[in-house]
Amino acid sequence: MKRRLMVVYGTRPESIKMAPVIQALHQSAHFEPMVTVTAQHRDLLDQVHALFGIRPAYDLDILSEGQTLSDITVRALNGLAPVLRHERPDAVLVQGDTTTAFAGALAAFYHRIPVIHLEAGLRTDDRYAPFPEEINRRLATQLATLHLAPTFHARENLVRDGVAAASVVVTGNTVIDALHWAVEQKAQYVDPQLADLDDTTHRVLLVTAHRRESWGDGMRAIGGALADLARAEPNLVIVFPLHPNPVVRDAILPQVAHVGSVRLTEPLAYGEFARLMDRSHLILTDSGGIQEEGPGLGKPVLVMRDTTERPEAVLAGTSRLVGTERENIVKQVLRLLHDREVYASMAKAINPYGDGRAAHRAVQAIGHWMGLCQRPADFTAGSAPEAAGVEDRLAAQRRLLDPTEGIMVHE
Ligand code: UD1
Ligand code: UDP
């Protein structure tokens, strides 16, 4: 008999990272997947569902404008309870570190349903950065019984936190599966502001920003930095798909709305966004997922945060932390635009986050955990334990994340 697995998510990045898993579950002889969305995001989620052809069985439709963390948690818990009571799945799968992921895991636990955590083990070791994600993912770890870690480093974080190594499988990150697929689609640009990008040789700076810990001063500084860059580099095309959150828009728009070379768009459908990432010269972002995608496409990523739970690309030299200080963002972008050597050293295509087969590994790992099949071999790539000097690697990664050692680039 097929095992009934309920896949629970609510935001854009979760849906992109769950889509390949849902597809692999449907292809597997062992599972009957069932999708429940909290719809913590609405338009952003619907865009992804349209692209991947996902039709949720349950849609809790909880989004409200200006929703607080408590709103999301309470509405998700209250919405999930009757669904779980009615369906009684064999397990619940949650992804990442959103408030939906935490609430989904908690709701399943309240119903004594086992929790499987995809993209487990990311850590900054700073409870307020990113906020609230660092604590959401730690709580998800406590609630889960099977941990699907994207990299060896994430696995080590879990083991360090007391998770039994036997309950961790390194799968790679499913975002790389989704990215490969999306790039192959060769989606057309729908937004007319992007129509000329294939016909111009001007360099494209792709920007996204949304993190809660940057609301206010940080976001205003990001907007100010873009205005400065547009003045300093008139031929640079700056494309900024804005997050729908009015808090983000209110901080960014006054700084850049009047600047012609900054093209502000609505959130782009994933296919169109993947094409834009591929077309870009470099990426400036605070996004988690884009830190994973940029290296796969050989695009330098400047991360507008003070710390990251994704040190693999920083260590490999393709991403850098630049913080949210206006002058430093400008300086670091200009440096990459003008110093060919620095640019070339960062523009390397590397795949520390996945090889495009993470979803199949995840499904096999779940099957093994349920006693249905063999355990998959761990994803290795650049984070392989057998890669030269793993202890040195891990020590370097820990140093990287240690604020007293300071890895933020200021020079
Ligand atoms: C959420 C996640 C964050 C993740 C991000 C991905 C939490 C607490 N935050 O942050 O971890 O990195 O999603 O994008 O789980 N809105 C819309 N339509 C949408 C989506 C959002 O109008 O489709 C607006 C609403 O006004 C909403 C606001 O954006 O209140 C913020 O959404 P919310 O999910 O609370 O936070 P994000 O910043 O999107
Ligand atoms: N993305 C997208 N359209 C956009 C901006 C981002 O499809 O206009 C994709 C991006 O490629 C990545 C994901 O959304 O896969 C990241 O979402 P976000 O930055 O909102 O969340 P995070 O990863 O920081 O949690």
Side-chain angles (χ1 to χ4, degrees), residues 40-44 64 66-67 99 133 210-212 243:
Q40 171 182 336
H41 283 176
R42 184 72 276 164
D43 344 6
L44 301 189
S64 66
Q67 61 197 0
T99 295
E133 290 85 355
H210 71 80
R211 298 241 83 84
R212 265 182 162 76
H243 192 285

Side-chain angles (χ1 to χ4, degrees), residues 212-234:
R212 265 182 162 76
E213 67 273 16
S214 301
W215 286 2
D217 289 347
M219 285 292 165
R220 277 190 289 278
I222 291 169
L226 297 182
D228 294 347
L229 283 165
R231 264 190 297 275
E233 296 288 325

Side-chain angles (χ1 to χ4, degrees), residues 94-99 101-103 105-106 115 117-130 132-145 147 153-154 156-163 307-309 401:
V94 297
Q95 196 284 336
D97 51 21
T98 65
T99 295
F102 159 57
L106 185 61
V115 175
H117 188 202
L118 181 67
E119 198 184 75
L122 275 59
R123 300 285 186 266
T124 61
D125 292 329
D126 178 343
R127 58 172 49 223
Y128 290 111
E133 290 85 355
E134 176 73 2
I135 292 298
N136 281 344
R137 57 193 172 220
R138 284 176 176 275
L139 295 170
T141 295
Q142 295 306 312
L143 293 161
T145 44
H147 311 262
H153 181 70
E156 290 300 285
N157 286 336
L158 291 164
V159 172
R160 188 194 58 182
D161 285 353
V163 173
T307 180
T308 182
E309 59 287 301
L401 292 175

Side-chain angles (χ1 to χ4, degrees), residues 12-13 16 175 210-211 241 267-270 273 277 287-290 293:
R12 169 172 64 194
I16 291 170
V175 79
H210 71 80
R211 298 241 83 84
L268 300 175
Y270 186 52
F273 190 78
M277 277 194 284
S287 164
I290 298 170
E293 294 166 327

Side-chain angles (χ1 to χ4, degrees), residues 337-353:
L337 290 176
H338 294 296
D339 188 328
R340 283 183 191 194
E341 264 179 45
V342 175
Y343 183 85
S345 73
M346 288 187 74
K348 292 177 292 197
I350 57 158
N351 287 303
Y353 297 111

